[in-house]
Amino acid sequence: MPDSSPPASVPSTPSTGTAVIYREKLWPNAWIWIIAAGVSAAGILVFAPISMAAGFTAALVLFAIITVLLVLSTPVIMVTADTLTVGRATIERRFVGAVEHFEAGEATAERGTRLNGLAYLCIRGWIDPVVKIEITDPADRTPYWLASTRHPDQLTAALARR
């Protein structure tokens, strides 16, 4: 009878003593927070006919909810000596191949017309540069990971270190 136990997974946080080579949290830009404030202010318009207090309360509640959702959905890119973590995905560094970074029009093409449908994506619309990380694991059909980053040179350099 085949073994039905789940495969061993790589921990999402580095084990004790593993030095973090690179870490970046992809926080929303200022204009995302301005949009969140504007959407929250719509609560004032909706509830103002009832009372201004209800409108301001609704705006504060909406802003709190949007803030919690933005903070909880902010992905982390972390490189250690043994693993690479991008958002929810983690892979051993031995399966990381070539790494390229793209900016401006090239980054747009990588996110659009050049995108492979099997690629793992961790992209944020408010961050333009992307890094393309080749995956060499023969058991993984994913050809590469495409991740947004504000520091493409630093991430590429961190992944080049062995």
Side-chain angles (χ1 to χ4, degrees):
M1 185 164 175
D3 183 21
S4 63
S5 63
S9 64
V10 178
S12 61
T13 57
S15 61
T16 308
T18 304
V20 175
I21 298 169
Y22 178 85
R23 180 178 164 80
E24 177 181 6
K25 195 144 181 154
L26 303 178
W27 292 108
N29 283 351
W31 64 268
I32 295 294
W33 293 109
I34 292 169
I35 291 170
V39 169
S40 300
I44 296 172
L45 298 174
V46 171
F47 288 95
I50 298 170
S51 79
M52 285 307 286
F56 284 111
T57 302
L60 289 174
V61 169
L62 280 172
F63 190 74
I65 291 169
I66 292 170
T67 299
V68 167
L69 291 174
L70 283 172
V71 168
L72 291 178
S73 67
T74 300
V76 174
I77 299 173
M78 186 168 44
V79 179
T80 67
D82 301 325
T83 62
L84 165 64
T85 301
V86 177
R88 296 182 195 159
T90 300
I91 192 167
E92 294 178 42
R93 291 272 309 273
R94 64 188 174 115
F95 296 122
V96 172
V99 179
E100 301 175 79
H101 69 272
F102 302 93
E103 297 184 37
E106 290 292 313
T108 302
E110 287 298 322
R111 289 187 300 261
T113 56
R114 292 188 212 149
L115 184 64
N116 184 322
L118 296 175
Y120 170 76
L121 303 176
C122 184
I123 53 178
R124 295 296 180 257
W126 52 81
I127 302 174
D128 181 56
V130 293
V131 173
K132 185 176 185 179
I133 305 160
E134 179 188 21
I135 304 301
T136 60
D137 184 357
D140 191 348
R141 291 187 36 193
T142 306
Y144 61 88
W145 290 4
L146 191 65
S148 295
T149 177
R150 288 191 172 93
H151 310 287
D153 293 327
Q154 293 175 16
L155 178 55
T156 303
L159 289 169
R161 287 185 224 150
R162 293 285 174 185

